Amino acid sequence: MCASACYEIGCALGDAPTRGTLALMLAGLLWYVGFIVVASILVSFGAVDSTRRPGYRRRDGKQEGTLMWPSLVMTAVVAASFAASHYSLT
């Protein structure tokens, strides 16, 4: 979603009617690039967290899914902001 939003905003940059809209588009572009960077870091941590290490397990033997909730929240935020930028910036 972030790459699609970056492409969509990038294509619409030349058609910005005002400087304020252009600034808002550039801020949106930076917003999505930031999410791409954070998501790649989150994926790296998820790959490390998925290895079997007894130190990161709970007492009942189940592995903690601590990275699942930030991932779900981030997906929801990106989906909502993509819909908002699609209908308002382009």
Side-chain angles (χ1 to χ4, degrees), residues 8 10 12 15 20-21 27 29-30 42-43 45 48 55 58-59 67-69 74 80 86-89:
E8 191 173 75
D15 298 331
T21 305
L29 195 59
L30 287 175
L42 189 64
V43 165
F45 286 155
V48 170
R58 296 189 318 206
R59 289 183 184 191
L67 293 175
M68 181 59 75
W69 287 109
M74 197 164 107
H86 176 74
Y87 290 110
S88 65
L89 295 179

Side-chain angles (χ1 to χ4, degrees), residues 42 45-46 49 56 58 63-72:
L42 189 64
F45 286 155
D49 195 34
Y56 288 107
R58 296 189 318 206
Q63 191 168 355
E64 292 184 13
T66 56
L67 293 175
M68 181 59 75
W69 287 109
S71 177
L72 291 173

Side-chain angles (χ1 to χ4, degrees), residues 12-82:
L13 282 175
D15 298 331
T18 63
R19 291 180 65 94
T21 305
L22 181 65
L24 189 60
M25 285 180 171
L26 290 173
L29 195 59
L30 287 175
W31 172 261
Y32 291 116
V33 169
F35 268 114
I36 290 171
V37 170
V38 170
S40 65
I41 292 169
L42 189 64
V43 165
S44 298
F45 286 155
V48 170
D49 195 34
S50 67
T51 59
R52 295 183 175 261
R53 289 176 298 192
Y56 288 107
R57 293 182 182 269
R58 296 189 318 206
R59 289 183 184 191
D60 59 359
K62 294 182 181 177
Q63 191 168 355
E64 292 184 13
T66 56
L67 293 175
M68 181 59 75
W69 287 109
S71 177
L72 291 173
V73 169
M74 197 164 107
T75 302
V77 169
V78 167
S81 63
F82 177 66

